């Protein structure tokens, strides 16, 4: 490509950069409209850029470099998603106030942490003092499907009250991991012991029932709660409840009364999966 053509492209690039700058300022400072960029829109833009630049060899090489950078960023994003469990599906922001050293923007964010969906709204105050930039979150609002759980509801209310966005993300990650672990465990035992294990509320429930077809009316209920306190600490709480026919209860009162205590001891010694496995094995061998 000769120098005159190269200079012409440079002029077009500078003109486009100036136009982008003016449009950005008008967008943020005058119109103050919400922005929204979905993964689908970004991919469409990339494909459009590809189709418009395939004609020029130099431009095609530049596009290849950009494509390589994009693939690298997507790899990094996938790694972070797998590491943290977070996947953001939408984001919009609106400039509420902007001065020389102070900017206030309202953000709306939605996404998932593993299988738990959430929506956030908050204001972010960015202040610049010399070369230092600080940010303060305010007006935090959180919407979660699992807020029906009283513990989750209390945690969300406390987090909103303190505008503690960092605690929300770190605590939700741990809570979601236990939530997924419980579902996987329930699914494993249901698949392995379909004649013994039932899930009345499905994989989203917090208990499962164990029955031996040979022991009519006798059943065990493993209750698995996931406690999330107001400070954001997550604790799994498991217990065993028994349903025993009257005649069986009279014959084996002492051994059956100690069953929940034995199960709790097994949890401490063996762990959750091994304790449940041991309980199912014992129940399945009953006559």
């Amino acid at each position: 490509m000769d120098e005159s053509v190269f200079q012409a492209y440079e002029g077009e690039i500078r003109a486009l950069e100036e136009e982008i700058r003016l449009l950005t300022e008008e967008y943020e400072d005058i119109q103050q409209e919400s922005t929204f960029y979905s993964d689908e829109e970004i991919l469409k833009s990339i494909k459009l850029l590809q189709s418009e630049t395939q004609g020029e060899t130099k431009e095609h090489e530049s596009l290849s470099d950009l494509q390589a950078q994009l693939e690298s960023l997507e790899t990094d994003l996938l790694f972070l998603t797998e590491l943290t469990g977070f996947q953001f599906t939408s984001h919009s922001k609106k400039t509420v106030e902007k001065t020389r050293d102070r900017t206030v923007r309202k953000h709306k964010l939605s996404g998932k942490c593993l299988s738990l969906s959430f929506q956030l709204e908050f204001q972010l105050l960015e202040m610049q003092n010399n070369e230092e930039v600080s940010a303060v979150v305010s007006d935090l609002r959180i919407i979660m499907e699992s807020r029906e759980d009283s513990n989750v509801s209390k945690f969300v209310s406390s987090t909103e009250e303190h505008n503690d966005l960092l605690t929300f993300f770190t605590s939700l990650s741990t809570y979601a991991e236990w939530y997924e672990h419980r579902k996987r465990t329930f699914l494993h035992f249901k698949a392995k012991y379909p004649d013994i294990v039932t899930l009345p509320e499905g994989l989203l429930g917090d208990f499962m029932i164990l029955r031996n077809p040979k022991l009519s009316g006798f059943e065990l209920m493993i209750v698995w709660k996931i406690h999330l306190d107001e400070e954001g600490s997550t604790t799994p709480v498991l217990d065993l409840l028994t349903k025993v026919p009257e005649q069986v209860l009279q014959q084996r009162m002492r051994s059956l009364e100690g069953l929940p205590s034995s199960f709790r001891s097994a949890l401490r010694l063996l762990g959750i999966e091994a304790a449940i496995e041991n309980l199912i094995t014992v129940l399945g061998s009953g006559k």
Side-chain angles (χ1 to χ4, degrees):
M1 183 180 293
D2 60 43
E3 186 175 351
S4 61
V5 174
F6 182 77
Q7 290 177 347
Y9 278 138
E10 280 192 325
E12 291 181 7
I13 291 172
R14 285 195 296 270
L16 286 171
E17 289 177 339
E18 179 63 15
E19 183 178 358
I20 290 172
R21 185 185 67 80
L22 293 174
L23 288 172
T24 301
E25 290 181 354
E26 180 182 4
Y27 173 77
E28 292 186 346
D29 300 333
I30 299 176
Q31 293 183 342
Q32 296 184 349
E33 294 178 351
S34 298
T35 61
F36 176 82
Y37 304 97
S38 66
D39 292 340
E40 183 179 356
E41 289 172 329
I42 292 174
L43 291 175
K44 285 183 179 179
S45 299
I46 293 172
K47 291 179 180 179
L48 179 61
L49 180 61
Q50 289 175 330
S51 64
E52 292 177 347
T53 56
Q54 284 178 345
E56 294 292 337
T57 302
K58 290 291 184 179
E59 292 176 359
H60 182 70
E61 291 176 356
S62 298
L63 182 59
S64 298
D65 293 339
L66 289 174
Q67 186 68 32
Q69 293 179 27
L70 177 62
E71 291 175 356
S72 176
L73 290 172
E74 288 177 339
T75 300
D76 292 341
L77 180 59
L78 179 61
F79 169 74
L80 289 174
T81 299
E82 293 177 346
L83 180 66
T84 64
F86 282 100
Q87 181 180 9
F88 299 105
T89 55
S90 69
H91 173 231
S92 65
K93 65 181 178 180
K94 180 178 180 181
T95 302
V96 178
E97 175 187 344
K98 186 172 184 179
T99 63
R100 179 180 177 183
D101 56 0
R102 171 187 172 96
T103 303
V104 179
R105 292 189 176 94
K106 186 173 183 178
H107 293 258
K108 292 184 179 181
L109 185 68
S110 64
K112 286 186 175 182
C113 183
L114 299 177
S115 63
L116 298 181
S117 300
F118 62 86
Q119 298 178 38
L120 303 176
E121 293 184 11
F122 59 91
Q123 282 198 165
L124 189 64
L125 167 61
E126 300 175 8
M127 295 175 290
Q128 185 167 356
N129 184 12
N130 296 327
E131 296 182 355
E132 296 184 357
V133 177
S134 61
V136 178
V137 175
S138 63
D139 297 335
L140 177 61
R141 295 292 178 269
I142 302 171
I143 300 175
M144 289 184 60
E145 293 179 0
S146 56
R147 192 166 179 169
E148 295 176 0
D149 185 321
S150 60
N151 291 320
V152 175
S153 181
K154 290 178 181 178
F155 163 71
V156 168
S157 296
S158 176
T159 305
E160 290 176 334
E161 180 181 354
H162 296 91
N163 293 302
D164 196 345
L165 200 55
L166 179 59
T167 294
F168 170 76
F169 284 120
T170 55
S171 299
L172 180 62
S173 177
T174 304
Y175 179 81
E177 286 176 1
W178 274 109
Y179 194 86
E180 289 299 307
H181 180 46
R182 183 177 65 185
K183 288 200 303 182
R184 288 194 301 267
T185 303
F186 282 2
L187 179 61
H188 165 74
F189 286 114
K190 175 60 179 175
K192 188 174 182 179
Y193 303 102
D195 296 332
I196 295 177
V197 176
T198 59
L199 302 172
E201 296 184 353
L203 294 177
L204 300 181
D206 56 13
F207 69 94
M208 65 178 178
I209 302 293
L210 309 181
R211 298 189 183 98
N212 185 335
K214 298 178 182 179
L215 302 175
S216 178
F218 180 84
E219 65 182 41
L220 303 176
M221 176 188 290
I222 298 176
V223 181
W224 185 345
K225 300 285 187 180
I226 304 174
H227 182 72
L228 179 64
D229 64 24
E230 295 184 17
E231 286 71 36
S233 297
T234 301
T235 307
V237 181
L238 286 88
D239 208 350
L240 179 67
L241 303 178
T242 61
K243 179 182 177 182
V244 187
E246 184 66 26
Q247 63 273 21
V248 176
L249 185 63
Q250 291 174 357
Q251 295 172 2
R252 303 181 181 182
M253 172 69 76
R254 182 169 298 179
S255 60
L256 291 174
E257 282 184 341
L259 196 56
S261 177
S262 298
F263 177 68
R264 289 190 289 269
S265 297
L267 286 171
R268 291 191 294 270
L269 294 173
L270 306 175
I272 295 174
E273 291 81 1
I276 295 176
E277 181 82 36
N278 184 63
L279 184 63
I280 293 176
T281 300
V282 172
L283 178 64
S285 64
K287 302 296 183 180

